[in-house]
Amino acid sequence: VNDRLRRSLVRIGAMAAKETQHVLRDPRTLYMSLGMPVVLLFLFGYGLSFDLDRIPIAVEDRDRTESSRALVDALTASGELEEVARAGAGEAEALFRRGEALAALVVPEGYGRDLSARRAARIQLLVDGADTVVANQVLSKADALVRAEARRLLGPDLSRRPPPVQVQVFTLYNPEGRSALYLVPGLAVYLLAITAVLLTALTIAGEWERGSMEQLFASPVGRLEIVLGKLLPYLVLGILELQLVVAFGAVAFDLPIRGSGPLLFAFGVLFLVGMLGQGLLVSVVAKNQLVATQAGALSALLPSLLLSGMVFPIENMPSVLQALSRIVPARYLVHALRGVLLKGNGLDVLWPDLVALLVFAMAVIAIATARFQRRLA
Amino acid sequence: VSAGLAPSRPSARVQLASVFRKEVFQTVRDRRVMFLLMVAPLVQTVVFGFAVDFDVDRVPTVVVDLDRTAESREHARRLLADRTLAPVGAAAGMAEAERAIDRGDAAAALLLPRGLGADLLAGRPAEVQVVLDGTDPNRAIVAGGAVSRYFGELGERMARERLAARGLPEPARIELVPRLAYNPELRSPPFMVPGIAAMLLVIVTTLTSAMGLAREREMGTLEQVLVTPVRPLLLLVGKMAPFVVIGVVDVMLLVGVGTWLFDIPIRGSPLVLLAATLVYLMTTLGVGLLISTVSANQQQAFLGGFLFAMPAILLSGVMTPIRAMPDWLQLVTRLNPLRYFVEVMRGVLLRGAGLADLWPQLAALVVLGVAILAVATSRFHKRLA
C-alpha cells in the first residue's frame, strides 16, 4: 500500500510539474497572479479614493454686501470648495451637465440685512445629485464651513467658550481611518478567487475542449491524480499571492498583522481549496473555455466583489442579498482576514468562519468530483 | 461571370452577409453562450443595483450608561432613534463594550459618564465618549459624526436658551438650504447602474471577442476561412457585427431594467446614448481584436482581456470619482474609453445632457475607437500574412 501511495504521489508530482511549466512559460499567468496584485494595491493605496480635495462650485452673490462677501470668502478660502464660475441657479444645471461644477451657491438679497437684524439668514446650495458619493461630500463640507462662519459671527467671547457637551471619539484598529487597511484584505480575497477559480476552470476546460483530457485518461495516471496534479500548482500560486498581498500591504501601507500568522495561512488554504473545487466544477459543467470564463466570472468574481463585504457593507443590503451572501465563501474570508490582521481576533471569535469555509470546500469538492466521474462514464 | 476564368469573388455585401449569418447562427445556437451574453448581465445589474449602497445606516451600537438617570436615558434614546445608529444592547462597562466590538457584535460604543444628567441641568461642561470599530473607516466616520452632531446641536440649543433666559439677544444664525438636482433622495442605483452597464459591456464584448478569435486561431479555422473568397477585412467585420448587436441589445436591456426596477430616469436623448454605445463598442471590440492578435490561445486571450478590464474599470469613475484621483492618474483616465462612456450614460440618463454638452466625450470615443481599430486591424493582417 505504501508503495502504491508513493507511486501515486510521483504521478501527481509529474502532472504538477507539467502544469507548472505551462504557467511559467506564459508570463501573463504569472503577471496576473503576482504582478496584478501589486499594481492594484498601488492603485488602491495611492490613486483611488472617495474624497475630493477641491470641489468646483459656481457662486452667485445677489446680496453684494460686506457680510455676503465675507461668507463667500469663508466658504472658498480653504480651497475645499473652489469657485470656478460666477453663475446662479439658472445656469448651474448647464455647468452640471458639462461636468464643470458640482454645486452652486446662491446668497440671496437681504442676507446681510437678516444677519444684522438677528434673523435667520438663508443661503441656498444647489447640488448635482447625480453622483451620490460626491453630493454627500459637498453637503457635509458646506455644512461644516457654514457652521464655522456662524460661529465666527457669534463674536470672540461666545465662540471661544467650550461647547457644553464635548464628544471624545476613539477609533480602534485603524485610528487614522485609512481606506487601504479596509480594502487590502478584501482585495486579497478577490485576487485569490480570480486565480483559483478562473485559472483552473480555464486550464481544465482547455483540456476538455482540445480532447486531451481523454488522452490523459488513457495514460497510466489515475483520474484523481490528474485533477490533483493540475490543481496543485494553482494552490501554491494562490498561497504565494496571499503572502505577497499581505507583505506588500504591510510594507507599503503599514497593514498590521495583529493576530496569528498560522491562522491566517489556514484560512487562506481552506478558501483556496474550496475555490479550486469551484473552478473544477465550472470546467466540468462548461466544457469549453469561453463558457467557463463567463460562468466563472458570474459565479465567483461578482459574488466575491459584491456580496463579500469587501467594498460594500453587507449590513446595508436588502435581506435577500444578505441571505445570499451566506453562501459566498469570500464573505467568510474577508471577515476572517480583517479579524486576524486588524483586530487580532483568534479562533474563539472566528471559528464560525472557519466552519463555513470548511463546509463550502467539502460540499463543492464532493459535487465537483461526482460531476467529474459522471462526465467520464 | 465568363466561363474558363477563375470564379470571381461574390460582392462585398454577399461576403459580409454570409459571414455575419454564420456567426449569428453559431452564437445563437449555443444556448449557454446566449445565456451568458444576455441573461448574465441582467442578473448582475439587478444584484449590483441592490447590493451597492454607500449609505451608512443602522450601525450596531452598544450603550454604556454609567449615569442611569432619566436625562442620560433620554439622550441615548434620541440619539439612537436617528437611523444612523441602531442599538444592539447595553454593557455594564467599557471593557465589556470593547469586547463586543472585538467580536464584531457592535461597531460603536457610546459611553455616558456618571453625572452627565446633573452636569447638563446645571450647565456644567460634560464629556461623552465614543469608541468606534475603525476597520471600515467610512462607517466609523459616519457613526462618529452622528454622535458629534447630536451633542453639537444639543449644545447650541442650550446656549441659545441660556442667552434667552438672561434676556440677551439671540446670536446671528445662517441657515444652509440645500437642494439636490437630479436625484433628490441621493439613491445609489441611479448613479451606479449606468456605470455597471459600461463595465459589463467590457466583459461581454472585449473578453468574448478576444477569446472567440483566439479560439479560431487555436483550432486553425481562421486560416481555413481565408482560403475561401472572403476578404480578411470583411471576415473581421462579419465576426464583430454580432457582438455589436449583442452590445446594443444589452444596453437597451440594462437601461430598461434600470428604469423599471430602480426608477432610473431617461432625461436626455436616447439617440445620443445609442450613438455613444456604438462608438464605445468600436473601442471595446477593437481592444478585443488587439488582444487576440497577441494571444496564442484562449487562456492567454482571457488573461489579456482581464489585464485590460481591471484597470479600465477602476480608472473609469464607476466606483470612485475621477476628481479624487491624483493629477497624473487623471491624465491616464483620458485614454480610457470606459470613462467617456460612463460620463455619457450618466449625463444622458440623469442630467438630461445632449450633444451640446457631451460632444467632447463622443469625440474622444471616436478618436480612441478609430485609433484602436486601426492598430488592431493592421496587426490582424500582419498575423495572417
Side-chain angles (χ1 to χ4, degrees):
Chain A
V1 180
N2 230 340
D3 195 41
R4 269 199 6 226
L5 183 69
R6 196 182 54 80
R7 261 185 279 165
S8 172
L9 286 178
V10 168
R11 286 193 294 265
I12 294 175
M15 280 299 299
K18 178 218 147 217
E19 192 63 29
T20 307
Q21 282 200 337
H22 270 297
V23 172
L24 292 180
R25 210 178 298 152
D26 182 9
R28 260 174 278 202
T29 312
L30 277 185
Y31 172 73
M32 165 124 159
S33 37
L34 302 177
M36 182 89 123
V38 176
V39 173
L40 287 183
L41 280 174
F42 188 78
L43 272 183
F44 272 116
Y46 295 109
L48 304 179
S49 117
F50 288 105
D51 308 322
L52 273 70
D53 297 332
R54 297 181 306 265
I55 297 171
I57 62 166
V59 177
E60 185 182 32
D61 181 359
R62 291 198 199 137
D63 194 39
R64 292 166 198 278
T65 56
E66 205 175 312
S67 351
S68 73
R69 272 190 291 275
L71 173 77
V72 172
D73 280 348
L75 286 178
T76 54
S78 68
E80 281 184 298
L81 301 180
E82 189 182 19
E83 182 178 341
V84 291
R86 293 199 169 267
E91 300 126 88
E93 294 208 6
L95 293 171
F96 293 171
R97 281 199 298 270
R98 288 198 300 273
E100 284 166 16
L102 299 173
L105 175 76
V106 180
V107 187
E109 226 182 298
Y111 168 82
R113 207 176 48 230
D114 284 343
L115 268 191
S116 37
R118 311 259 155 184
R119 280 193 298 266
R122 293 183 163 217
I123 53 176
Q124 286 160 20
L125 188 71
L126 180 67
V127 181
D128 177 356
D131 185 336
T132 48
V133 177
V134 172
N136 272 321
Q137 285 181 45
V138 176
L139 287 176
S140 66
K141 275 190 184 153
D143 192 55
L145 289 168
V146 169
R147 269 170 199 279
E149 170 69 2
R151 229 180 356 261
R152 189 185 68 81
L153 289 174
L154 283 178
D157 46 317
L158 273 178
S159 65
R160 231 178 274 142
R161 280 241 314 249
V165 191
Q166 247 174 346
V167 178
Q168 264 199 328
V169 178
F170 302 95
T171 308
L172 303 174
Y173 317 124
N174 181 7
E176 292 150 58
R178 288 184 299 140
S179 45
L181 296 195
Y182 175 63
L183 289 170
V184 168
L187 200 62
V189 175
Y190 187 60
L191 293 164
L192 284 186
I194 297 177
T195 309
V197 175
L198 280 171
L199 291 185
T200 50
L202 272 172
T203 168
I204 298 179
E207 302 271 4
W208 293 116
E209 203 173 343
R210 286 187 295 270
S212 44
M213 195 58 112
E214 278 80 1
Q215 285 170 21
L216 277 175
F217 291 148
S219 71
V221 189
R223 284 158 189 187
L224 201 62
E225 292 165 1
I226 295 174
V227 172
L228 283 179
K230 278 199 142 308
L231 296 188
L232 207 57
Y234 293 100
L235 182 65
V236 175
L237 203 57
I239 292 170
L240 281 178
E241 199 174 337
L242 178 62
Q243 289 173 341
L244 182 75
V245 172
V246 172
F248 189 89
V251 172
F253 309 120
D254 296 321
L255 178 75
I257 308 177
R258 299 208 173 97
S260 125
L263 187 62
L264 188 78
F265 189 74
F267 268 110
V269 171
L270 207 52
F271 176 74
L272 279 169
V273 169
M275 288 282 109
L276 291 171
Q278 192 175 340
L280 178 63
L281 183 61
V282 165
S283 81
V284 179
V285 176
K287 296 183 195 126
N288 74 48
Q289 296 185 62
L290 193 63
V291 178
T293 36
Q294 300 282 335
L298 190 60
S299 69
L301 292 200
L302 275 141
S304 303
L305 178 66
L306 299 179
L307 299 179
S308 66
M310 98 175 236
V311 193
F312 311 109
I314 294 172
E315 309 96 77
N316 285 7
M317 295 174 192
S319 47
V320 180
L321 288 183
Q322 289 198 18
L324 199 61
S325 78
R326 295 200 174 274
I327 57 166
V328 175
R331 171 198 170 137
Y332 302 103
L333 188 62
V334 168
H335 185 248
L337 284 190
R338 286 203 182 121
V340 173
L341 292 171
L342 299 179
K343 293 181 160 186
N345 286 153
L347 259 186
D348 54 325
V349 173
L350 300 175
W351 66 266
D353 296 308
L354 202 70
V355 171
L357 285 176
L358 193 66
V359 169
F360 178 83
M362 287 188 338
V364 79
I365 284 181
I367 299 171
T369 24
R371 298 269 330 209
F372 190 72
Q373 303 281 9
R374 213 171 64 207
R375 170 105 201 239
L376 299 169
Chain B
V1 182
S2 52
L5 290 175
S8 69
R9 277 175 200 265
S11 76
R13 203 175 55 80
V14 173
Q15 289 181 38
L16 194 60
S18 38
V19 176
F20 179 70
R21 207 170 48 227
K22 179 239 148 201
E23 289 296 324
V24 169
F25 276 150
Q26 201 180 2
T27 314
V28 174
R29 208 178 35 203
D30 193 339
R31 287 237 184 88
R32 286 167 313 172
V33 172
M34 280 313 285
F35 175 83
L36 290 168
L37 295 184
M38 311 291 275
V39 182
L42 213 58
V43 174
Q44 291 166 26
T45 309
V46 173
V47 174
F48 217 140
F50 281 119
V52 174
D53 188 352
F54 289 109
D55 272 1
V56 176
D57 51 13
R58 289 166 293 171
V59 178
T61 307
V62 279
V63 178
V64 184
D65 183 355
L66 297 180
D67 194 37
R68 293 164 186 278
T69 58
E71 284 280 303
S72 68
R73 271 193 292 274
E74 178 63 11
H75 286 304
R77 193 189 62 76
R78 270 199 225 156
L79 175 56
L80 295 171
D82 167 25
R83 273 170 49 85
T84 313
L85 306 177
V88 288
M94 221 46 202
E96 193 187 329
E98 282 191 25
R99 268 200 303 280
I101 295 181
D102 242 357
R103 279 195 310 271
D105 296 338
L110 175 70
L111 175 81
L112 304 173
R114 210 176 302 263
L116 176 73
D119 284 344
L120 285 178
L121 286 175
R124 283 192 296 270
E127 191 183 278
V128 297
Q129 281 182 13
V130 193
V131 178
L132 300 165
D133 176 352
T135 39
D136 181 347
N138 191 32
R139 184 177 63 182
I141 288 167
V142 173
V147 178
S148 302
R149 199 173 48 246
Y150 175 81
F151 285 106
E153 280 168 8
L154 178 73
E156 271 172 36
R157 209 164 49 235
M158 285 167 51
R160 204 166 293 134
E161 279 162 11
R162 216 173 301 148
L163 285 177
R166 274 190 268 161
L168 293 166
E170 243 191 76
R173 254 189 312 152
I174 310 176
E175 231 173 83
L176 183 70
V177 187
R179 197 157 66 79
L180 289 155
Y182 312 124
N183 183 6
E185 290 150 53
L186 287 184
R187 291 182 309 127
S188 296
F191 172 63
M192 284 307 293
V193 170
I196 298 159
M199 224 167 86
L200 292 175
L201 274 193
V202 173
I203 295 175
V204 168
T205 57
T206 305
L207 268 183
T208 327
S209 66
M211 286 186 69
L213 284 167
R215 179 194 172 124
E216 301 232 13
R217 170 153 296 123
E218 221 172 296
M219 298 187 162
T221 46
L222 217 50
E223 279 77 4
Q224 284 172 23
V225 181
L226 287 173
V227 188
T228 66
V230 179
R231 279 180 212 279
L233 192 64
L234 291 177
L235 176 70
L236 208 55
V237 175
K239 282 199 173 296
M240 291 298 181
F243 289 112
V244 175
V245 177
I246 289 172
V248 171
V249 172
D250 271 341
V251 168
M252 294 199 294
L253 222 55
L254 296 186
V255 170
V257 166
T259 52
W260 174 63
L261 212 56
F262 298 111
D263 283 327
I264 298 171
I266 308 180
R267 298 209 172 94
S269 142
L271 278 179
V272 175
L273 200 60
L274 182 68
T277 307
L278 288 173
V279 192
Y280 175 58
L281 286 171
M282 249 167 71
T283 64
T284 59
L285 288 171
V287 172
L289 177 62
L290 196 61
I291 288 167
S292 80
T293 62
V294 293
S295 308
N297 57 45
Q298 292 183 67
Q299 196 168 353
Q300 291 185 2
F302 164 75
L303 291 176
F306 210 81
L307 294 184
F308 164 75
M310 271 305 260
I313 289 170
L314 289 177
L315 297 178
S316 66
V318 172
M319 309 243 185
T320 65
I322 288 178
R323 278 179 197 280
M325 296 173 192
D327 289 338
W328 61 271
L329 210 56
Q330 292 197 28
L331 274 181
V332 177
T333 66
R334 289 187 182 278
L335 292 173
N336 185 2
L338 230 85
R339 169 200 170 146
Y340 300 110
F341 186 60
V342 173
E343 285 176 356
V344 173
M345 286 276 274
R346 285 181 181 154
V348 170
L349 293 177
L350 300 178
R351 301 190 182 103
L355 212 51
D357 308 301
L358 295 172
W359 66 265
Q361 279 86 350
L362 284 169
L365 278 176
V366 170
V367 170
L368 282 174
V370 170
I372 293 169
L373 274 182
V375 175
T377 29
S378 89
R379 278 211 55 116
F380 184 74
H381 274 291
K382 240 183 261 165
R383 279 288 298 246
L384 290 176

